[in-house]
């Protein structure tokens, strides 16, 4: 049973436009959420996180939104750049579990020049 | 930013060989390190969690005698795949974290190919 789901395996966006990556979760015990970016043959790179006590966190071009009632989070990238092309994973954790991460299956973002 | 180094990046060896993969946190003390495995076009699957100075906690279905984990210092953890077979071929990634409230930082992974 997948507790973290990224239903879109791929997304293409024009350079300069907004990229919106979505993630849904089923475990209501999750209270900390992260987004990672991964290039081929490399490990994931941490991008941004959000605690369940917030509904928005912003860092430069990246903003993460959390809707607890819908068990949904999204990552907005604006403006999108060709260098943003990568696989994006959302991950979730809960307290009392050594903060182990449960990952979604990833979304391949392609930003077209 | 936090840096985690993982070596080697690629290993090709014969069936029956044991392979050791190192994971080092270069600029912070990692009280906890994690080992993941990733199959093609799939997500990262947690194999085990190790805390410095104690035995690793393995996820269900992961053989602890097959995948030996040592976390002897605050900057180094090793994963040894013992008597590797072709079905062990995969991409193995480690991560390290300073405290539970900090994000995990990942190494670049090791591509293991068993012939």
């Amino acid at each position: 049973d997948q507790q973290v789901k990224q239903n879109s395996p791929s997304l293409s966006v024009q350079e300069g436009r907004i990229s919106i990556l979505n993630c849904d979760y089923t475990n209501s015990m999750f209270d900390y959420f992260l987004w990672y970016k991964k290039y081929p043959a490399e490990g994931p790179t941490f991008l941004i996180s959000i605690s369940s006590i917030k509904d928005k966190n912003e860092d430069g071009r990246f903003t993460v939104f959390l809707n607890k009632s819908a068990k949904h989070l999204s990552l907005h990238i604006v403006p999108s750049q060709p260098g943003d092309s990568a696989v994006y994973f959302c991950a979730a954790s809960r307290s009392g579990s050594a903060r182990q991460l449960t990952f979604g299956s990833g979304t391949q973002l392609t930003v077209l020049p | 930013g936090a840096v985690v180094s993982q070596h080697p990046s690629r290993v090709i060896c014969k069936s029956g060989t044991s392979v050791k993969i190192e994971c080092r946190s270069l600029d912070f003390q990692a009280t906890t390190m994690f080992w993941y495995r990733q199959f093609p076009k799939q997500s990262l699957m947690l194999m085990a969690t190790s805390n410095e100075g104690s035995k690793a906690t393995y996820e269900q279905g992961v053989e602890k005698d097959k995948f030996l984990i040592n976390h002897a210092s605050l900057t180094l953890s090793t994963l040894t795949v013992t008597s590797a077979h072709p079905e062990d071929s995969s991409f193995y990634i480690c991560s390290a974290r300073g405290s539970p409230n900090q994000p995990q930082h990942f190494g670049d992974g090791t591509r293991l190919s068993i012939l």
Side-chain angles (χ1 to χ4, degrees):
Chain A
D1 177 37
Q2 264 192 302
Q3 296 188 64
V4 179
K5 298 179 184 179
Q6 292 176 257
N7 291 318
S8 297
S10 63
L11 173 69
S12 291
V13 171
Q14 207 68 36
E15 181 179 6
R17 299 290 184 101
I18 184 170
S19 295
I20 300 176
L21 298 117
N22 293 303
C23 180
D24 297 290
Y25 61 97
T26 57
N27 190 340
S28 57
M29 298 299 290
F30 287 143
D31 61 1
Y32 185 55
F33 305 88
L34 308 89
W35 283 94
Y36 285 86
K37 172 182 178 180
K38 186 180 183 298
Y39 294 115
E42 292 184 11
T45 301
F46 169 71
L47 275 178
I48 192 168
S49 64
I50 188 167
S51 163
S52 61
I53 61 173
K54 294 186 175 182
D55 55 18
K56 177 182 174 181
N57 188 27
E58 191 173 349
D59 184 2
R61 296 186 299 116
F62 302 92
T63 303
V64 55
F65 294 92
L66 175 63
N67 182 333
K68 286 194 295 289
S69 61
K71 293 191 179 69
H72 176 84
L73 65 154
S74 60
L75 175 68
H76 293 210
I77 306 173
V78 57
S80 302
Q81 300 171 353
D84 296 330
S85 298
V87 177
Y88 288 77
F89 289 97
C90 71
S93 74
R94 60 181 179 83
S95 60
S97 66
R99 286 288 179 195
Q100 294 169 344
L101 296 179
T102 301
F103 282 86
S105 53
T107 297
Q108 171 70 57
L109 172 66
T110 302
V111 179
L112 305 168
Chain B
V3 179
V4 175
S5 174
Q6 185 174 342
H7 291 283
S9 59
R10 186 175 179 94
V11 180
I12 301 173
C13 57
K14 293 182 179 179
S15 185
T17 307
S18 292
V19 178
K20 180 185 279 189
I21 304 170
E22 290 190 350
C23 182
R24 293 180 186 272
S25 57
L26 298 185
D27 55 357
F28 68 101
Q29 292 188 324
T31 54
T32 307
M33 287 186 167
F34 302 85
W35 288 95
Y36 295 84
R37 183 171 179 176
Q38 186 183 26
F39 293 101
K41 300 197 176 184
Q42 291 188 26
S43 188
L44 285 76
M45 299 302 296
L46 179 66
M47 297 174 66
T49 301
S50 76
N51 291 299
E52 185 264 339
S54 61
K55 289 184 179 180
T57 303
Y58 290 81
E59 294 301 297
Q60 191 173 9
V62 179
E63 299 175 57
K64 61 180 181 181
D65 296 328
K66 174 77 169 174
F67 299 99
L68 300 178
I69 292 172
N70 183 280
H71 190 170
S73 78
L74 284 170
T75 59
L76 173 65
S77 176
T78 60
L79 167 68
T80 301
V81 183
T82 61
S83 187
H85 290 100
E87 58 266 28
D88 298 323
S89 299
S90 191
F91 191 56
Y92 293 86
I93 310 177
C94 73
S95 72
R97 184 186 72 197
S99 70
N101 294 326
Q102 294 174 324
Q104 294 179 27
H105 296 280
F106 287 79
D108 279 342
T110 297
R111 171 69 60 192
L112 176 62
S113 300
I114 307 299
L115 305 176

